[in-house]
């Protein structure tokens, strides 16, 4: 039996009705928004904008938490915590793997349901259903299905929901197998999807809830040079690649074939 299989075998304990009943009672009305900020790629204002968007579009009681290496400038209404260490061997850089620390067995004593949101998403309308959708399925993680290659069964971790502390062996499995994981998996979301799939704990959001600005708002060349980006019919708009919400509102770009038209309609939703 591999380390991965052992970790998933231990997960079977939380699939019991007793686990669901205890967590339903203990975590009632505990909704947590998680985000993560490290380095200088995004300023504190991105965290504040995300919190304001959630406040407008989530009617359930919630608390926003930011895992960060620098809380300066972040709205006091947002609870800041240090980013837990991945404890990688030989001081290897943690960078893109850090999101896995949201699965720390005891994340600052938080209990209940967590919805992780990347800092560069834009919320377009109500998101209550990201908490209420199969709310009793507390042993599984809901994530975006990859748009371009859905057959790979890899989730996009810009938006995912899970029960805090539900996977006590995930990080231990990651640390014990990091050398192999680093070689076989491109990034954190590829390995996370694999781990959860092996545990039968991977589920996907309905396709029309989260869409990509790159794939669903921008027109293909040459139309992208002259056409204003469309507003996709979705709840949360995901930004990946080179374009972020600020840049999308302004338009522009580097080389001519990457030039995009401004999307002024984004401004009313962004922040």
């Amino acid at each position: 039996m591999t380390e991965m299989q052992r970790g998933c075998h231990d997960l079977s304990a939380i699939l019991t009705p007793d686990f669901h009943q205890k967590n339903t009672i203990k975590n009632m009305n505990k909704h947590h928004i998680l985000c993560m900020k490290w380095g200088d790629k995004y300023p504190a204002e991105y965290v504040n904008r995300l919190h304001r968007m959630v406040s407008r579009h989530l009617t359930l009681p919630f608390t926003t938490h930011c895992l960060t290496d620098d809380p300066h400038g972040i709205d006091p209404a947002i609870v800041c915590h240090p980013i837990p260490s991945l404890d990688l061997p030989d001081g290897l850089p943690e960078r893109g793997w850090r999101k896995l620390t949201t699965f720390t067995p005891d994340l600052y004593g938080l209990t209940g349901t967590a919805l992780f949101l990347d800092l560069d998403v834009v919320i377009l309308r109500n998101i209550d259903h990201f908490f209420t959708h199969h709310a009793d399925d507390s042993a599984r993680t809901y994530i975006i299905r990859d748009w371009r290659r859905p057959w790979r069964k890899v989730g996009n971790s810009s938006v995912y929901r899970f029960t805090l502390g539900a996977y006590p062996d995930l990080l231990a499995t990651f640390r014990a197998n990091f050398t192999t994981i680093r070689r076989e998996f491109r990034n954190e979301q590829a390995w996370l999807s694999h781990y959860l799939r092996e545990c039968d704990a991977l589920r996907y959001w309905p396709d029309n809830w989260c869409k990509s600005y790159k794939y669903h708002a921008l027109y293909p060349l040459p139309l992208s040079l002259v056409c204003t980006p469309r507003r996709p019919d979705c709840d949360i708009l995901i930004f990946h690649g080179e374009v972020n919400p600020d840049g999308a509102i302004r338009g522009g770009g580097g080389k001519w074939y990457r030039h995009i038209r401004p999307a002024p309609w984004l401004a009313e939703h962004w922040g």
Side-chain angles (χ1 to χ4, degrees), residues 52-85:
R52 292 197 296 267
M53 286 188 289
V54 172
S55 297
R56 288 199 303 270
H57 294 293
L58 181 61
T59 66
L60 303 173
F62 73 94
T63 303
T64 300
H65 303 264
C66 182
L67 303 177
T68 183
D69 58 0
D70 180 11
H72 180 74
I74 294 178
D75 189 322
I78 300 165
V79 182
C80 292
H81 309 275
I83 301 172
S85 174

Side-chain angles (χ1 to χ4, degrees), residues 2 47 61 69 76 82 91 100 106 120 126 130 134 147 154 168 185 189 194-195 217-218 266 269:
T2 66
V47 182
D69 58 0
L100 294 174
D106 182 2
D120 56 356
N126 182 271
F130 283 84
H134 293 301
W147 299 284
V154 173
F185 296 91
Q189 63 190 16
H194 173 76
Y195 178 90
L218 296 179
L266 261 179
H269 302 285

Side-chain angles (χ1 to χ4, degrees), residues 24-240:
T24 300
I25 295 172
K26 183 175 73 171
N27 299 325
M28 191 175 295
N29 295 328
K30 290 192 176 182
H31 309 111
H32 303 280
I33 298 293
L34 293 184
C35 64
M36 187 174 287
K37 175 190 175 298
W38 74 85
D40 57 4
K41 181 177 180 179
Y42 296 115
E45 183 57 22
Y46 266 65
V47 182
N48 299 338
R49 286 178 182 269
L50 179 65
H51 176 67
R52 292 197 296 267
M53 286 188 289
V54 172
S55 297
R56 288 199 303 270
H57 294 293
L58 181 61
T59 66
L60 303 173
F62 73 94
T63 303
T64 300
H65 303 264
C66 182
L67 303 177
T68 183
D69 58 0
D70 180 11
H72 180 74
I74 294 178
D75 189 322
I78 300 165
V79 182
C80 292
H81 309 275
I83 301 172
S85 174
L86 276 174
D87 297 326
L88 298 184
D90 302 323
L92 290 171
E94 299 186 353
R95 289 196 291 272
W97 301 100
R98 285 178 174 168
K99 203 181 287 188
L100 294 174
T101 62
T102 59
F103 294 96
T104 297
D106 182 2
L107 186 64
Y108 296 107
L110 300 178
T111 61
T113 304
L115 179 67
F116 184 94
L117 300 172
D118 272 353
L119 292 181
D120 56 356
V121 304
V122 176
I123 302 175
L124 302 179
R125 59 195 184 201
N126 182 271
I127 59 169
D128 286 7
H129 44 291
F130 283 84
F131 280 104
T132 60
H133 180 69
H134 293 301
D136 58 344
D137 197 5
S138 53
R140 294 178 173 84
T141 292
Y142 283 77
I143 198 168
I144 304 169
R145 184 188 288 270
D146 181 75
W147 299 284
R148 293 297 297 273
R149 301 175 184 86
W151 59 87
R152 291 171 54 192
K153 299 181 181 179
V154 173
N156 179 301
S157 62
S158 294
V159 179
Y160 60 92
R161 188 195 79 198
F162 65 104
T163 299
L164 289 153
Y167 310 103
D169 299 307
L170 186 151
L171 277 180
T173 301
F174 174 76
R175 290 170 180 137
N177 297 276
F178 180 69
T179 301
T180 301
I181 291 169
R182 190 185 188 198
R183 184 174 61 248
E184 296 183 359
F185 296 91
R186 181 184 177 194
N187 52 33
E188 138 276 328
Q189 63 190 16
W191 181 76
L192 176 63
S193 299
H194 173 76
Y195 178 90
L196 294 172
R197 194 166 60 248
E198 289 290 301
C199 300
D200 189 30
L202 182 68
R203 299 293 184 270
Y204 300 106
W205 302 119
D207 291 341
N208 63 332
W209 287 15
C210 301
K211 292 191 176 181
S212 160
Y213 188 79
K214 180 178 180 180
Y215 300 137
H216 302 120
L218 296 179
Y219 288 90
L221 275 170
L223 293 177
S224 60
L225 302 176
V226 296
C227 294
T228 298
R230 300 156 286 190
R231 172 181 165 168
D233 183 16
C234 65
D235 307 312
I236 303 178
L237 193 55
I238 310 303
F239 287 78
H240 50 100

